[in-house]
Amino acid sequence: MKYLFADIKKKLRLLKKSNKKKVFYFGNTTKLERSKFYLTDIRQSRNFIYFGAIVYNDAIAKKIARIIDGKVDFALVDLEKKLLSKSKKEIVNIERAVKDTLKATKLFTYKGNDLAVQACETLVNSLFMDDVRGIGGKKILILGAGNIGFKLGIKFVESGAEVFLYRRKKTILKKLSKTINLILPKGTVAKCHTINNYKKKLNEFDI
């Protein structure tokens, strides 16, 4: 794991050569890895140059925060709180770990899953921008009704699409679909449905 911390310092030196604003972001996940974290590649936009780390526990987040503090202009930290594992009931709270550590770098928070939902929703709506109804009346199949798929299902149904959810655990699948239909605004006509076998029906869906 030492080489990963050394790699952070190396990347920070590369960022220092740029005139753009420097950004480091912390993401988290419940997947357990021997290394306890991994780094993303350096990327650039018009105004920013950035990279980040996906971390698995608070101690690693604090150590990384100490390394990057004052070396970047901004730090972004994922708000989600998660159990480290089913067997080890330890809450991963990298937000607090980073907040407790950073002194010189300005901190912002974000929610990774919700960014993915917003990006996907924006993409799908843009595909039907020239359609007067937008996604209204379209049939949308969502494979993988987890956190992101469930949230997308709500958004698409509220926009008038007929949504079909698929996931392997059928009991959970039915509950998710039922929940979406229960919490929809009263005036919403579109509905959420479940589907058990989609492979021979893909041509029936618009998305």
Side-chain angles (χ1 to χ4, degrees):
M1 190 161 51
K2 290 182 179 179
Y3 79 92
L4 288 170
F5 292 115
D7 198 20
I8 293 175
K9 295 175 182 178
K10 180 181 177 181
K11 289 185 175 183
L12 288 172
R13 289 193 292 270
L14 291 174
L15 262 62
K16 192 175 181 180
K17 298 176 182 178
S18 173
N19 293 323
K20 298 179 179 181
K21 292 290 186 181
K22 286 79 175 171
V23 182
F24 187 93
Y25 57 88
F26 295 83
N28 72 20
T29 180
T30 53
K31 294 179 180 178
L32 293 173
E33 301 288 347
R34 289 182 180 179
S35 63
K36 303 300 181 186
F37 74 98
Y38 65 86
L39 299 177
T40 64
D41 293 331
I42 293 176
R43 301 194 182 280
Q44 298 187 57
S45 62
R46 180 178 298 178
N47 300 312
F48 301 96
I49 183 167
Y50 52 91
F51 74 106
I54 308 302
V55 300
Y56 302 88
N57 64 55
D58 298 344
I60 296 296
K62 283 187 175 184
K63 188 166 183 177
I64 294 173
R66 284 193 289 268
I67 294 173
I68 62 109
D69 193 23
K71 305 289 195 313
V72 295
D73 299 288
F74 307 114
L76 307 176
V77 61
D78 195 337
L79 287 170
E80 285 200 13
K81 314 299 185 290
K82 297 173 179 174
L83 283 173
L84 189 59
S85 68
K86 291 181 180 179
S87 59
K88 192 175 183 181
K89 301 301 182 182
E90 176 187 337
I91 295 292
V92 178
N93 186 351
I94 64 170
E95 178 194 5
R96 179 170 180 174
V98 174
K99 280 183 175 178
D100 285 345
T101 307
L102 288 183
K103 306 299 180 186
T105 292
K106 189 173 180 62
L107 179 66
F108 293 92
T109 58
Y110 73 97
K111 202 154 174 287
N113 281 355
D114 288 356
L115 288 178
V117 169
Q118 185 178 16
C120 185
E121 181 191 19
T122 300
L123 172 63
V124 171
N125 282 311
S126 69
L127 293 173
F128 293 95
M129 189 62 69
D130 295 331
D131 190 317
V132 291
R133 295 185 62 193
I135 66 170
K138 303 297 186 295
K139 295 176 70 175
I140 298 179
L141 171 63
I142 298 177
L143 302 178
N147 183 287
I148 292 174
F150 177 75
K151 291 174 180 175
L152 282 171
I154 295 173
K155 289 180 175 290
F156 291 147
V157 173
E158 286 182 342
S159 298
E162 293 293 321
V163 169
F164 295 79
L165 298 181
Y166 173 85
R167 69 176 285 162
R168 287 188 294 271
K169 293 184 179 179
K170 305 308 178 192
T171 53
I172 297 177
L173 177 65
K174 290 179 180 178
K175 290 178 181 179
L176 293 175
S177 179
K178 184 178 180 179
T179 299
I180 290 176
N181 290 325
L182 283 173
I183 65 174
L184 288 174
K186 291 182 179 179
T188 303
V189 177
K191 296 296 180 184
C192 181
H193 314 271
T194 63
I195 186 167
N196 294 324
N197 189 350
Y198 63 88
K199 294 183 179 179
K200 294 182 180 180
K201 301 178 180 180
L202 287 176
N203 60 350
E204 298 178 9
F205 299 97
D206 299 289
I207 291 289

